[in-house]
Structures are given as C-alpha cells and as structure tokens.
Amino acid sequence: MKRAIFLDRDGTINEDVGYFCTRDKWEYIPGSIEALKILQKDYVLFIVTNQSGVARGFFTEEELIKFNGEVEQMLRKEGIIIQKTYYCPHMGDEEHCNCHKPSRFFLDQAKKEFNIDLENSFVIGDHPHDVEFGQQVGATSIYVLTGHGEKHKDELTDIDPPDFIAKNLYEATMWINNQRS
Ligand SMILES: [Mg+2]
Ligand SMILES: [Zn+2]
C-alpha cells in the first residue's frame, strides 16, 4: 500500500482569492512548490477540494474540470505530479451530497483506486473541516495558517485538535519529515 498526502487546494497550495476558475487568479503561496517536491519523494499527492462555486453558479463543472487539468499541468511543469484531483461541486450543508469535506468519501475512493494506506497518510488544509476530514479515517491532520487558517483558528476548539498546526505548507512538510526520523 502507498502512503499519500491529501492536499486542500485554495489557501493551502495557492492563495485563496474567493471563487475562481481561471489561471490569472492562481498564485502560489510562498514555499508551496518546494514543499510539494519534497513530499512527493515519499508520498503520492492528491488534491481534494470543495468547489461550491459550481453550485453557486460562479463557474460550470466543465470549466472546473478544465481548470483542474490546468492546475495539474502547471504543477507538472514544476516537476510535481498530482495523482488525481478530487472535487466536490456541491454546496455542502444545504445540498446534501456524499462528497463534501469533511465527508471521508474521497479518501475511501483514493484508497480503492490507488491502494492508499490512509492511516499512514496525511491531510493538510486551512479549514477545520480539512482536519476533520483526515480524522475520519485515522490519517494525520495538519492545519495550516495560510488562506483562511488564521481566520478559522478559533473554531478548532470545536473539534478534536489537529496533529499539528503549521505556519504554511512548507512548515507542514518539515514536520512530516521529522515524524519519520
Ligand atoms: Mg482551503
Ligand atoms: Zn459533493
């Protein structure tokens, strides 16, 4: 079985600039590329992203699928391979679906599709629901303070604490590396 890193997208890899689906709004958070390059040496990388901009009418699912491909391609140019991008196009609470984080749906799917050892995998994100997402399957959860992380930090007291709170994805990566040594 393979171990994986399940990455939130907006606010974790790139700046969260609200609902968007075009390359001109894509901006890496400093250190993200370096972090992903380090992580992929030992882990399979996935992006798992709630994109309710579809349900809200900001962009279509077709546009989202196309943009997901563009993001993967931008990362590939940096030498980073994303195994798959899983997205929930739904609204979440108001519109019940199986796949909106913190639902474990996409983690179970990745396990099935790619033979992933979830308990020895990591989830990284800037929202408390990202932390809960990892906790559902016994993965290690890391909360980052980039994106909405600083803003939602106080809500962490409502859930089981994350395994680590990192300044950003790069610091999360350093912590993951230290767990193994
Ligand atoms: Mg986010
Ligand atoms: Zn969904």
Side-chain angles (χ1 to χ4, degrees):
M1 281 180 118
K2 289 170 274 186
R3 295 175 309 164
I5 310 283
F6 294 92
L7 299 138
D8 173 52
R9 195 189 80 186
D10 304 334
T12 302
I13 296 173
N14 57 292
E15 303 288 354
D16 192 330
V17 294
Y19 303 104
F20 79 102
C21 203
T22 50
R23 278 173 89 142
D24 58 319
K25 301 250 176 74
W26 179 270
E27 192 187 335
Y28 288 106
I29 291 169
S32 287
I33 291 171
E34 291 78 1
L36 295 173
K37 280 183 183 171
I38 294 167
L39 290 171
Q40 73 176 0
K41 290 182 189 162
D42 295 303
Y43 300 91
V44 182
L45 305 183
F46 293 94
I47 292 174
V48 186
T49 178
N50 284 347
Q51 290 291 333
S52 67
V54 174
R56 294 171 204 273
F58 288 104
F59 41 84
T60 65
E61 187 162 358
E62 288 68 33
E63 286 169 327
L64 176 61
I65 290 167
K66 182 164 170 276
F67 186 59
N68 286 342
E70 288 174 6
V71 168
E72 290 179 6
Q73 209 173 338
M74 279 190 277
L75 287 164
R76 202 170 304 136
K77 275 198 190 131
E78 304 290 345
I80 295 155
I81 305 297
I82 301 296
Q83 182 71 242
K84 184 163 180 172
T85 300
Y86 292 104
Y87 66 91
C88 165
H90 309 113
M91 198 78 93
D93 291 348
E94 302 99 81
E95 179 196 11
H96 294 291
C97 68
N98 289 327
C99 56
H100 204 81
K101 288 187 286 185
S103 160
R104 58 183 285 164
F105 183 82
F106 286 133
L107 293 171
D108 291 327
Q109 194 157 327
K111 179 182 176 165
K112 262 185 268 166
E113 277 184 272
F114 299 99
N115 194 31
I116 301 300
D117 175 2
L118 295 176
E119 282 184 26
N120 288 301
S121 293
F122 294 80
V123 170
I124 307 174
D126 69 322
H127 195 281
H129 69 215
D130 292 308
V131 173
E132 293 181 283
F133 181 52
Q135 288 169 343
Q136 309 265 13
V137 299
T140 300
S141 293
I142 303 175
Y143 186 77
V144 288
L145 295 170
T146 48
H148 292 172
E150 197 66 57
K151 189 169 78 189
H152 290 287
K153 203 170 65 176
D154 295 342
E155 296 165 32
L156 286 175
T157 53
D158 300 335
I159 62 170
D160 287 338
D163 294 283
F164 184 59
I165 298 176
K167 242 178 9 204
N168 52 36
L169 181 57
Y170 191 79
E171 192 181 273
T173 299
M174 295 299 110
W175 185 80
I176 289 170
N177 272 357
N178 285 335
Q179 298 311 296
R180 312 186 53 211
S181 51

